Amino acid sequence: MSPSVYLGAAGFGLIAVCYGFARFAFGLFLPQIDTDLALTPTLSGFISGGAFLGYCLAIILSAYLTERIGARAVAIGAALVAAVGMAGIATAPSPLLLASAVMLAGSSTGLASPPMAAAVATAVRRDRQSATNTIINAGTSAGVVLSGPVALLMGGQWRLAFACFAVAAFVMAVVAALSVPGGTKATQVSGGLPPFNSVIMRLIAAAFLMGASSTAIWSFGGKLVALQLSWDNTGAGLLWIAIGTAGIVGAGAGTLVTRFGIDRVHWLFLGVLAAGILLVGTSATTPLLAIVGGMLFGAAYIMVTGVYLVWGVTALPDRPATGLMIGFLTIAIGQTAGAPLFGFLMDRLTPDYAVLGFACLALTAGLARSGSAIPRPAPKTI
């Protein structure tokens, strides 16, 4: 196995644990957590938003550290933070301690992505970097799809599930130590703020709106199908399996962007994302439509985040960790704002109004165009 393939596999696994388990599995187990700890929708939204806030803070720190101490140390740290955070979720006796643990676990995702982008820039030849980056990014789907069977097998035992997830995160810390290169090209680049030109500003606008809209499913998907379809833990687990399985399609984002351009791929999959939100969350849904909607959402979310990854790295080719950080940080800022807003709308209006509004929010992200951030295939090396 070549070093680049080994790195891609290790990155895929790290992202699966940090994103799929430490960040997005909370929404899957939310109905059971609500019951055990007596959480209201608004409080659930603020706790979910805490995970995204932790991500926001961590991804800035991660890009800074990756450019100074290298990718390996930061990747190991991401896995260890995920392990500690999920162990905290498993043992949390109260909403306050749960919120703290969720925030810590969510921060691991912010730590994980920048070192992998920087490692790819070092270990993978240029004409394969976009594809490798988006394959690693699709690890989110693997984590999501694995969390579904865990929920089914454990029958709502969310504390035991998060304890198992914590063990998996510790294993990934060992894998990262063995596979991620220590130095990166970015360590040779001076730090400081990147240039906030029109390309970057449009990326920020698009990522914020898409991130906010996605919380309709990531934070409230399990609760929505419980309300609209009276699904128990088994139904929510099946929805998560559908989301994660379809999300593997997002591994092809780099290839599609190279062939069709950022804007076309962006527009198409924002429409798919909005359709998925509507099919899962409205009162008109059926079991079949909810599963189809979950698949559409999963494929679109990973595809669009892959688009933002390529957009950011292309806009700042000399600082790949920072380029990724800008897009992914803004997604998380949108999610930090979106989760409590969605919970508030559910409390004050109806789930249908909240779902419809957030589906429209996804479509507005398409108004931002990539401009000059157009990836071009690099000359192939011999």
Side-chain angles (χ1 to χ4, degrees), residues 116-178:
M116 296 316 304
V120 167
T122 298
V124 180
R125 70 187 193 185
R126 286 185 58 202
D127 61 299
R128 291 294 304 160
Q129 287 177 10
S130 289
T132 303
N133 273 322
T134 52
I135 288 171
I136 291 174
N137 184 56
T140 299
S141 293
V144 170
V145 76
L146 288 173
S147 65
V150 170
L152 295 177
L153 291 172
M154 295 188 178
Q157 297 296 317
W158 59 274
R159 294 186 185 276
L160 179 58
F162 276 100
C164 294
F165 294 159
V167 172
F170 181 79
V171 171
M172 283 311 307
V174 176
V175 173
L178 297 175

Side-chain angles (χ1 to χ4, degrees), residues 3-12 14-15 66 70-72 75 112-138 179-186 309-310 313 317 319-321 324:
S4 62
V5 173
Y6 190 41
L7 174 64
F12 185 91
L14 179 64
I15 296 301
T66 299
R72 182 187 298 137
S113 293
M116 296 316 304
V120 167
T122 298
V124 180
R125 70 187 193 185
R126 286 185 58 202
D127 61 299
R128 291 294 304 160
Q129 287 177 10
S130 289
T132 303
N133 273 322
T134 52
I135 288 171
I136 291 174
N137 184 56
S179 59
V180 179
T184 66
K185 290 178 180 178
L309 191 160
V310 175
V313 170
R319 300 180 65 182
L324 177 145

Side-chain angles (χ1 to χ4, degrees), residues 63 67 114 117-118 121 126 129-130 133 185-186 189-201 203-204 262 307-330 370 372-375:
E67 293 184 350
R126 286 185 58 202
Q129 287 177 10
S130 289
N133 273 322
K185 290 178 180 178
V189 180
S190 60
L193 293 174
F196 284 92
N197 54 33
S198 60
V199 174
I200 295 296
M201 294 306 295
L203 169 61
I204 289 172
I262 289 175
V307 167
Y308 295 151
L309 191 160
V310 175
W311 190 337
V313 170
T314 303
L316 296 174
D318 294 329
R319 300 180 65 182
T322 300
L324 177 145
M325 180 271 289
I326 291 172
F328 280 29
L329 168 62
T330 311
S370 61
S372 59
I374 303 172

